[in-house]
Amino acid sequence: MSQPAYKVEFEGKAKIGQIMGNLASIQLKPEDFSSPLSLQMALSRIYNELMKAMSQGPQTHYVADVKFTDSLGNLVSIGVDFGDKIPPLSKQDVKVKITIEFYDEE
């Protein structure tokens, strides 16, 4: 991989916690709010996934809710999935460093 053409770093905070079930399918997305029917379909999807998760038994995923302010002053929130093992940190509220690197397409 070539060297980045530009690199910027941000500092932020994260809250580490756990969630039950399959992270990818049990969530609402912006497009789920585009119409009343879209919301009903999303709730049905979540209900089905919850029922499936309950029948399979509990699965715990450790996640971090990361928040930082971008260069334009906007609050940015991202999620990080740690899988089934929590990182070796002493607290649930931690500081984070976010690095963004820009590359030319090859």
Side-chain angles (χ1 to χ4, degrees):
M1 185 180 262
S2 63
Q3 292 295 316
Y6 189 77
K7 179 179 172 179
V8 63
E9 291 184 349
F10 298 97
E11 290 189 12
K13 295 185 179 193
K15 182 174 184 98
I16 298 174
Q18 60 183 357
I19 59 171
M20 302 300 284
N22 183 348
L23 173 65
S25 60
I26 303 177
Q27 63 180 327
L28 290 170
K29 301 172 182 137
E31 58 267 20
D32 294 333
F33 297 99
S34 63
S35 73
L37 184 56
S38 294
L39 183 57
Q40 285 180 317
M41 291 188 312
L43 292 174
S44 294
R45 180 187 76 237
I46 290 171
Y47 176 79
N48 288 334
E49 291 298 327
L50 284 171
M51 291 296 108
K52 186 167 66 171
M54 291 181 76
S55 68
Q56 294 174 347
Q59 292 179 322
T60 301
H61 282 270
Y62 291 95
V63 296
D65 181 17
V66 179
K67 294 182 178 171
F68 66 98
T69 303
D70 70 11
S71 299
L72 300 176
N74 300 306
L75 181 64
V76 178
S77 179
I78 59 172
V80 176
D81 185 358
F82 294 118
D84 60 358
K85 302 237 188 292
I86 192 165
L89 297 165
S90 61
K91 299 178 185 175
Q92 285 186 313
D93 294 315
V94 295
K95 291 182 178 181
V96 294
K97 184 188 301 186
I98 299 94
T99 303
I100 299 175
E101 296 179 349
F102 295 84
Y103 294 89
D104 281 327
E105 289 187 38
E106 294 184 27

